[in-house]
Amino acid sequence: MKMMIDDEIPRSRQRQARIRAANTMNALQKISSNAAKIEREMSPAEYEEFANLYRLVRVELNGLYELLAEKERDKYYGYFVAVTEYEKKIAEGVYNPDLDGVLKFD
């Protein structure tokens, strides 16, 4: 993210981008540390906590995307669409790696 911010986000927006990047990384770290502690079936409240953290990551990453210059947004748009479709299939319970393949960013 640091390289993207330094190279692809206009200087006037970089401070805001760094804040969003830190929020994203903090949420990802919390997801990771909380997941590592789970040794039993999760409770509904725990599922909700993970969902809220994941939502925060998505919101912050979308905010970073919006801070990109238009040319750079066009470059990343395909990734956004691919990830969104992948997540939608998982949420609907219809993702099948044998049929859908693995998410690739070539």
Side-chain angles (χ1 to χ4, degrees), residues 27 30 49 54 56 58 60 77 82 86:
K30 187 160 186 168
E49 181 181 0
Y54 184 71
L56 175 62
R58 293 276 302 180
E60 293 296 337
Y77 183 74
Y86 168 78

Side-chain angles (χ1 to χ4, degrees), residues 47-92:
Y47 277 113
E48 186 173 351
E49 181 181 0
F50 278 98
N52 287 335
L53 286 167
Y54 184 71
R55 181 192 54 76
L56 175 62
V57 169
R58 293 276 302 180
V59 167
E60 293 296 337
L61 288 175
N62 188 61
L64 274 172
Y65 175 80
E66 293 298 324
L67 293 171
L68 290 165
E70 182 140 356
K71 178 182 97 173
E72 304 302 332
R73 272 190 243 147
D74 292 344
K75 180 171 85 175
Y76 288 104
Y77 183 74
Y79 300 130
F80 170 76
V81 171
V83 169
T84 300
E85 284 301 313
Y86 168 78
E87 290 173 340
K88 185 177 176 183
K89 285 183 177 186
I90 288 177
E92 293 171 349

Side-chain angles (χ1 to χ4, degrees), residues 19-35:
I19 291 168
R20 288 193 172 275
N23 290 343
T24 301
M25 295 309 295
N26 288 340
L28 287 171
Q29 184 63 35
K30 187 160 186 168
I31 289 169
S32 177
S33 64
N34 287 357

